[in-house]
Amino acid sequence: MKELIKQVVECYGPAGNEKAIRELIAGIIAPFVDEMRVDNLGNLIALKRGGDKKLMFAAHMDEIGVMVTHVDKHGFLRFYPVGGVSPLTMLGNRVVFENGTTGVIGSEKLEAQKDLTLNKMFIDIGASTKEEAEAKVRIGDLGAVSREFVDLGPRLVAKAMDARVACAVLIEALKTVANPAHDIYAVFTTQEELGLRGARVAAYSVSPDLGIALDVTRTGDTPSSMIMDVSLGKGPAVKIRDSSVLCTPAVRRYMEQVAKDNSIPYQLEVLEAGGTDAGAIQLTQGGIPAGVMSIPCRYVHTASEMVDYADVENGVKLVRAIMETKYTG
Ligand code: ZN
Ligand code: CO
């Protein structure tokens, strides 16, 4: 499965320009689903038939990035963040645009390091004049972090693990599920990083009986980290809450029961800040029961997000077991 993860995390796809990653995923899942469509927000909605109730899984395929706001006369680009982009992690990084143009992120001279803000930073694409730059990149163009996948054995590192590792989990579960107990809607959503936008309209049109978002979550297991009871290697996390959602208790209990019945290790998650597609799904129509399974991830929203491979494998097992177990909540 590492090859699949490498393929999906390395693909270009900042929020608002998910075409390449959508086409990649559609090509991979086509043999394993009964129907597939793309809606007006670019969500990829696949259906695998199996039962009377509709179970929707949502994994967001967009990633954080930058949008070009201005090209100066020396060919430097100014940019605005697309999603939760920190200046601390962007300096010295490389971004790539849809046409393959790569740039380096630099900063103006600062009095102190704490003065580093995104509006003091720029992208250098190797151009010397405005005209030269504009031949490659124009305002409104979206850049994503450029960084290769690294396999450390038990741990994997890449940009966009948030939430492509969750996309890979959903793909792998679709490939290997034997007897789905529901009509499974596997939705690869867009614009999550801009406020759960794709999931909102996808949940409305699918109108599921039950929605489960698949994403990454933060951990509390690095030196002097924030206090959080999630660690790498202790299994996928069953979410209790984040800033966007209080998971429906019946859904959480169902997910926990499925994990226990199948001897899949899991941990409970309380995330203080951050949202997931479940927040949008739950508040659709008259309210939809919603839960989240998270893959624990260190250094979220940096160019080097780290997950544990056993957590990923156990995440696939849990998603597959959920697909195969009737929800009676
Ligand atoms: Zn995410
Ligand atoms: Co994110």
Side-chain angles (χ1 to χ4, degrees):
M1 194 188 166
K2 286 179 177 177
E3 196 49 48
L4 170 66
I5 298 170
K6 174 180 162 65
Q7 227 186 336
V8 295
V9 294
E10 288 188 344
C11 187
Y12 167 88
N17 192 353
E18 296 93 347
K19 185 169 182 279
I21 180 66
R22 179 174 54 245
E23 287 175 355
L24 175 66
I25 293 173
I28 298 170
I29 65 173
F32 309 103
V33 298
D34 297 308
E35 284 173 28
M36 215 165 26
R37 66 185 175 89
V38 178
D39 71 11
N40 287 330
L41 258 81
N43 293 299
L44 175 63
I45 302 175
L47 168 61
K48 191 178 182 83
R49 292 187 199 285
D52 41 58
K53 282 197 174 168
K54 293 186 205 169
L55 167 55
M56 169 174 163
F57 286 97
H60 72 89
M61 58 184 169
D62 60 307
E63 62 183 311
I64 57 170
V66 296
M67 179 182 278
V68 175
T69 54
H70 175 74
V71 182
D72 77 16
K73 64 175 189 275
H74 301 295
F76 294 101
L77 319 178
R78 295 292 175 152
F79 62 93
Y80 189 78
V82 174
V85 173
S86 165
L88 285 177
T89 61
M90 291 306 276
L91 191 61
N93 251 311
R94 295 175 196 182
V95 292
V96 64
F97 293 90
E98 187 178 19
N99 64 7
T101 299
T102 297
V104 180
I105 299 190
S107 124
E108 299 171 8
K109 179 176 171 297
L110 303 168
E111 290 301 319
Q113 278 185 19
K114 66 174 171 52
D115 296 337
L116 184 67
T117 52
L118 292 174
N119 59 14
K120 293 197 168 66
M121 299 167 77
F122 50 80
I123 302 168
D124 183 344
I125 57 169
S128 304
T129 64
K130 186 178 174 91
E131 292 65 35
E132 214 183 302
E134 283 179 339
K136 294 175 169 178
V137 178
R138 298 175 56 201
I139 67 161
D141 284 357
L142 289 163
V145 168
S146 160
R147 192 66 79 94
E148 77 289 358
F149 168 88
V150 181
D151 179 2
L152 300 179
R155 305 261 155 98
L156 310 174
V157 181
K159 62 95 176 163
M161 283 291 186
D162 175 13
R164 304 274 177 77
V165 72
C167 294
V169 164
L170 183 53
I171 292 166
E172 193 68 17
L174 278 175
K175 274 186 183 175
T176 53
V177 63
N179 295 303
H182 323 259
D183 272 356
I184 293 165
Y185 286 84
V187 183
F188 298 88
T189 63
T190 55
Q191 298 188 36
E192 189 272 351
E193 299 290 0
L194 296 175
L196 324 179
R197 294 177 187 174
R200 194 175 309 277
V201 301
Y204 187 90
S205 68
V206 169
S207 187
D209 295 292
L210 170 65
I212 296 177
L214 307 177
D215 207 329
V216 299
T217 193
R218 293 179 183 275
T219 67
D221 62 350
T222 50
S224 301
S225 70
M226 63 175 180
I227 294 172
M228 182 169 172
D229 277 7
V230 171
S231 307
L232 292 199
K234 292 187 177 170
V238 174
K239 192 186 291 279
I240 296 171
R241 70 86 68 190
D242 61 34
S243 310
S244 69
V245 69
L246 267 177
C247 291
T248 309
V251 177
R252 173 162 62 81
R253 283 195 297 269
Y254 159 72
M255 295 172 70
E256 284 192 79
Q257 196 58 48
V258 172
K260 284 176 190 155
D261 290 348
N262 292 277
S263 307
I264 301 164
Y266 73 96
Q267 39 193 333
L268 290 175
E269 173 202 348
V270 174
L271 178 64
E272 294 191 14
T276 46
D277 281 343
I281 296 169
Q282 191 184 45
L283 299 183
T284 296
Q285 299 189 337
I288 291 170
V292 182
M293 188 198 81
S294 312
I295 301 296
C297 183
R298 291 178 182 166
Y299 326 121
V300 173
H301 285 193
T302 74
S304 301
E305 301 176 328
M306 180 188 287
V307 300
D308 182 273
Y309 190 53
D311 290 343
V312 177
E313 291 182 304
N314 284 314
V316 174
K317 284 184 195 162
L318 181 52
V319 170
R320 191 167 52 220
I322 290 169
M323 288 176 171
E324 292 173 346
T325 307
K326 275 206 155 60
Y327 172 71
T328 51

